[in-house]
Amino acid sequence: MCGFYCIISSDQINLESSKKSLDLMIHRGPDSQKYFLEKDNRVFFGFNRLSIVDLSDKADQPMQDRKSQRIIVFNGEIYNHCKLRDFLKTKNYIFDTFSDTEVILKAYDYWGDSLLEHLEGMFSIVIYDPLANKIFFARDRAGEKPLYFYQNKERFYLSSEIKPIHHCSKNKDISFEALNNYFEKGFVPKNLTMLNGIQKLKPGHKAILDLNLLELKISRYWNLDKHIYQSKKINSKEDNYYINKLEELLGNAVESQLVADVPVGIMLSGGVDSSLIVATASKYFDKLNTYTMTFPKMKKYDESKHAQLIAKKFKTNHVELSADEVEPEIFYKLVKHYDEPMVDSSMIPTFLLCKEVQKNCKVALGGDGADELFGGYSEYNRYNYLSNLQKFFPNPLRASLVNLALTILPKNIKGRKTLDLFGKDIKNLDFNGANLFDYEMRKKLFSDDSHLRRSGQEKKVVSNDLIKSLTFEDYNNYLSEDILVKVDRASMATSLELRSPFLDSEITKFAFVEVPSHLKVHKNQRKILPKMLAKKVLPKNFDFKRKQGFGFPINELFRSGKWHNFLEDKINSDQNYFLDKKYCNQLLAQQVKGDNIGESLFAIALFLVWCEEYVN
């Protein structure tokens, strides 16, 4: 778990400038910093290491294979590296370390770029092959680890974060496509970033940069949609089959992810997902370390009693970390570590929790991914209900009646969005659970209408099964561009490695290929299969109906006081020339009067602070 920064240049690379850029993400790897500079000063590989497996200097990066002369930098963890090492030893490969980094180098020598099919873990990998004069790079299936790249006439950059590239390229041009996606969906999707030209490699993709032709070829190696198409042939089985298989697969994933040469803990919110991780991990560790964030002044967001129940049941060393009053200046810390804005106020308690956990552990496990794989969001119930209801109303008639009703009804009437959805073709709709700024609202939000873009409404339908299609959409977008970005940046900002057992590739395939949708969402129930397993392994008095999530009192904070005043100052600042001040002040006034649009205001605040640091 670390951070890398690479430059491939047609001219001489300035070593001191490159090292300063690498220093900008020392938080990702404070244990050691090393670099490789090719003899003609045209290839630079820099690395900040967070030592987790094989703590010796031999396992430092950049790592070079003596025989092939290949150089690797790698951010992440390969959980099956011991198994791969044993196999490669039978093929006469000799190892100098116990690190997963060396395993990747040898596996690349043996399998070429198809090695990715054999890796189980989270990773972004860059390999320089001087003999073939090419660069190979790749990113893990779900997108747990970031990988950014940028190319101009003289240089090609690769990095774990945007900061080093931004520092060198001085790129301050906003991508208006990314801007529109941010304010509508809450994140920047696909290969885009908020800065023009700087791209991210999509999850489950690999690339080869031919240094002779300066030609870049990107391809996909993880085809989850193909697995989903094949699932049509699989017959449904008894419930016990799915419960037992999930228990087995989760056990395998948790056991492999508990392996580290440093202390390991578990983030315990007291919800189903993290509680299942604790229950599973307790089979392999006698005394687990668990951590929960409490909000003493905001009882509504305090999950401690639920976490205490699980900690008591499994006899963990449980630590409650209290969140003191959070000052609005935390926006500057968020911008520093996230590099581009995203709308998820739970990044704040995630960041605070990681900061405290890191004082006791270098590695922690969390329950991320279960909601997307097994249908955990309340929107799924609503979409499913409306889809079933639509069967009784022909589409043209339904759309006409709904459009008529929407012109008559007040703009702020409760249920208006649900009615609007009812008039649309839900199965082919671009699913967006953020509910931030639609096209008409962005017309008012942007001070310059040339920034405005209409987002595409069609999505790729991978199945006639609505729940399968919706969860696939969230896995491909919301999970990789929001949840996993939040987790990676918050944890690495504090030099903590955070692992997600639910994102094991076998669990992912099981969830999408085998598990029928009625075991995910049915009527008012959701995440049904994990709850069935939880009833088997968790205490009898566990509350299965609650779905709090990792909440934060964003609505209350923006209603008055420091946070309200902070945002008001940012809106009316001379530096705010992207957003319409009158409209933003109107939204802030609505919040004061009792509206709950805290996430929309969070989007505005974070964007304006980001502009101060990256654009102005």
Side-chain angles (χ1 to χ4, degrees):
M1 185 62 63
C2 317
F4 58 73
Y5 175 54
C6 309
I7 309 171
I8 299 92
S9 179
S10 60
D11 58 5
Q12 296 282 305
I13 292 170
N14 184 307
L15 179 59
E16 290 308 310
S17 174
S18 301
K19 287 165 68 176
K20 285 180 181 177
S21 296
L22 184 62
D23 285 340
L24 293 175
M25 52 179 183
I26 195 72
H27 48 273
R28 294 189 78 94
D31 294 334
S32 74
Q33 184 183 88
K34 292 186 178 179
Y35 63 89
F36 165 84
L37 186 65
E38 200 176 41
K39 58 185 177 182
D40 61 359
N41 286 18
R42 295 179 193 274
V43 176
F44 171 86
F45 272 38
F47 196 77
N48 295 320
R49 184 185 180 197
L50 182 66
S51 305
I52 301 294
V53 175
D54 189 343
L55 309 183
S56 71
D57 293 346
K58 284 186 175 182
D60 283 350
Q61 299 180 47
M63 182 181 287
Q64 184 167 26
D65 182 71
R66 289 191 298 270
K67 183 180 177 182
S68 68
Q69 296 179 38
R70 296 186 185 104
I71 300 282
I72 185 173
V73 285
F74 149 62
N75 167 28
E77 294 293 342
I78 306 302
Y79 304 124
N80 64 335
H81 71 94
C82 292
K83 188 182 293 185
L84 292 175
R85 183 185 290 105
D86 290 342
F87 170 79
L88 291 167
K89 282 181 178 178
T90 68
K91 303 301 178 182
N92 300 318
Y93 284 93
I94 299 171
F95 290 84
D96 297 322
T97 73
F98 294 101
S99 71
D100 47 359
T101 308
E102 188 179 14
V103 169
I104 297 173
L105 262 181
K106 306 292 187 186
Y108 182 76
D109 187 75
Y110 183 74
W111 281 299
D113 58 12
S114 64
L115 92 153
L116 300 169
E117 299 167 16
H118 302 272
L119 301 182
E120 185 60 60
M122 53 179 178
F123 55 82
S124 55
I125 299 166
V126 181
I127 297 175
Y128 169 46
D129 189 337
L131 299 182
N133 206 25
K134 68 179 182 180
I135 303 284
F136 166 78
F137 55 101
R139 193 170 170 213
D140 65 65
R141 298 169 180 86
E144 293 182 74
K145 294 291 103 186
L147 207 171
Y148 295 96
F149 64 94
Y150 174 73
Q151 186 172 17
N152 57 27
K153 292 180 180 178
E154 295 82 27
R155 296 184 172 184
F156 190 92
Y157 299 88
L158 290 152
S159 182
S160 296
E161 293 186 2
I162 291 176
K163 275 187 288 294
I165 298 175
H166 177 261
H167 178 253
C168 278
S169 67
K170 309 298 182 187
N171 183 354
K172 294 187 176 184
D173 296 330
I174 284 185
S175 162
F176 295 138
E177 184 181 356
L179 181 70
N180 278 266
N181 274 286
Y182 167 74
F183 277 109
E184 181 186 20
K185 298 178 180 177
F187 54 81
V188 179
K190 303 173 184 174
N191 62 322
L192 300 172
T193 71
M194 195 65 85
L195 294 169
N196 259 329
I198 300 178
Q199 300 181 61
K200 52 180 178 269
L201 186 67
K202 294 179 188 177
H205 281 65
K206 61 183 178 181
I208 293 177
L209 176 66
D210 186 322
L211 297 179
N212 295 313
L213 303 173
L214 289 179
E215 190 175 85
L216 179 65
K217 291 183 179 179
I218 299 175
S219 58
R220 185 169 60 149
Y221 69 88
W222 171 238
N223 298 318
L224 182 58
D225 47 338
K226 287 185 178 180
H227 291 294
I228 293 173
Y229 292 141
Q230 294 168 1
S231 68
K232 297 172 185 176
K233 305 172 186 176
I234 295 175
N235 295 321
S236 185
K237 300 178 176 65
E238 295 293 325
D239 289 354
N240 277 340
Y241 166 82
Y242 299 106
I243 297 169
N244 293 335
K245 184 156 185 179
L246 177 57
E247 185 174 24
E248 178 189 353
L249 293 176
L250 188 59
N252 294 339
V254 169
E255 183 181 17
S256 67
Q257 295 190 30
L258 285 169
V259 176
D261 295 331
V262 293
V264 179
I266 298 178
M267 304 285 209
L268 177 58
S269 70
V272 169
D273 309 330
S274 61
S275 297
L276 278 176
I277 299 293
V278 171
T280 306
S282 67
K283 299 174 184 177
Y284 308 103
F285 269 50
D286 290 334
K287 206 67 175 175
L288 297 167
N289 298 309
T290 55
Y291 301 89
T292 298
M293 178 64 74
T294 67
F295 294 90
K297 296 180 181 179
M298 293 280 184
K299 295 298 181 184
K300 176 182 174 183
Y301 298 91
D302 196 333
E303 300 282 271
S304 58
K305 67 175 183 179
H306 305 287
Q308 288 166 8
L309 177 68
I310 300 301
K312 184 178 179 181
K313 165 70 176 177
F314 297 102
K315 298 181 174 63
T316 71
N317 294 316
H318 189 57
V319 179
E320 291 185 353
L321 306 165
S322 177
D324 297 325
E325 185 175 354
V326 181
E327 300 294 328
E329 282 71 25
I330 197 169
F331 279 105
Y332 288 99
K333 290 184 180 178
L334 296 177
V335 164
K336 174 185 176 182
H337 290 293
Y338 279 75
D339 280 348
E340 54 180 344
M342 53 171 279
V343 189
D344 190 338
S345 62
S346 68
M347 64 168 65
I348 295 175
T350 303
F351 173 75
L352 296 175
L353 181 58
C354 288
K355 186 177 179 181
E356 293 301 316
V357 170
Q358 195 275 339
K359 295 175 182 178
N360 301 285
C361 299
K362 256 190 170 182
V363 175
L365 274 59
D368 298 297
D371 284 322
E372 292 77 14
L373 297 184
F374 296 103
Y377 297 121
S378 59
E379 287 86 355
Y380 298 150
N381 298 106
R382 178 168 59 166
Y383 276 68
N384 203 37
Y385 170 75
L386 290 174
S387 179
N388 289 329
L389 193 62
Q390 284 181 350
K391 295 173 185 176
F392 302 100
F393 297 89
N395 186 40
L397 174 63
R398 184 180 74 248
S400 299
L401 290 173
V402 167
N403 287 335
L404 178 62
L406 290 174
T407 59
I408 298 171
L409 293 172
K411 294 282 187 184
N412 60 348
I413 191 170
K414 188 176 181 180
R416 184 182 176 89
K417 185 180 179 184
T418 300
L419 182 62
D420 185 31
L421 283 171
F422 183 62
K424 296 176 179 177
D425 182 5
I426 285 180
K427 286 194 173 181
N428 290 295
L429 198 64
D430 181 18
F431 176 55
N432 176 21
N435 192 25
L436 293 170
F437 298 88
D438 62 20
Y439 184 77
E440 294 302 318
M441 293 172 74
R442 294 199 307 278
K443 273 186 181 178
K444 300 175 185 177
L445 180 67
F446 298 148
S447 57
D448 181 351
D449 61 10
S450 67
H451 300 342
L452 195 63
R453 302 287 186 276
R454 189 180 290 279
S455 299
Q457 292 300 304
E458 295 299 313
K459 69 179 178 65
K460 183 177 182 180
V461 179
V462 295
S463 173
N464 290 326
D465 183 323
L466 178 64
I467 297 303
K468 189 169 287 190
S469 200
L470 290 175
T471 51
F472 175 79
E473 184 86 353
D474 269 343
Y475 175 88
N476 268 345
N477 293 289
Y478 182 61
L479 175 70
S480 62
E481 309 303 344
D482 182 304
I483 301 296
L484 296 180
V485 173
K486 173 183 70 178
V487 166
D488 174 79
R489 305 309 187 275
S491 59
M492 295 312 297
T494 60
S495 306
L496 174 74
E497 174 173 299
L498 195 49
R499 302 174 176 180
S500 303
F502 277 106
L503 293 178
D504 178 273
S505 66
E506 292 302 314
I507 296 179
T508 302
K509 284 187 284 187
F510 169 67
F512 281 107
V513 174
E514 291 195 60
V515 179
S517 288
H518 73 265
L519 289 183
K520 295 183 181 181
V521 177
H522 183 65
K523 294 184 178 178
N524 64 339
Q525 299 180 70
R526 54 187 178 271
K527 204 153 59 176
I528 296 168
L529 180 59
K531 288 179 180 177
M532 292 169 88
L533 175 58
K535 285 177 181 177
K536 179 180 175 181
V537 300
L538 298 185
K540 301 292 183 187
N541 54 339
F542 183 85
D543 185 355
F544 290 95
K545 294 182 180 179
R546 56 182 278 276
K547 173 58 182 170
Q548 170 97 358
F550 206 9
F552 187 69
I554 198 70
N555 283 308
E556 291 84 350
L557 287 169
F558 276 129
R559 218 158 323 261
S560 63
K562 295 178 183 178
W563 283 61
H564 172 277
N565 297 339
F566 178 86
L567 178 52
E568 189 174 44
D569 289 344
K570 294 301 174 190
I571 289 171
N572 297 305
S573 166
D574 292 338
Q575 291 184 314
N576 173 22
Y577 47 83
F578 277 102
L579 305 184
D580 184 87
K581 295 179 181 180
K582 182 179 179 181
Y583 182 60
C584 290
N585 279 311
Q586 179 187 325
L587 293 175
L588 190 56
Q590 287 176 217
Q591 183 72 11
V592 173
K593 290 176 182 176
D595 279 7
N596 289 316
I597 52 172
E599 287 296 318
S600 297
L601 297 174
F602 183 86
I604 292 171
L606 196 61
F607 175 72
L608 292 176
V609 174
W610 178 82
C611 285
E612 282 183 32
E613 300 298 307
Y614 277 79
V615 180
N616 295 341

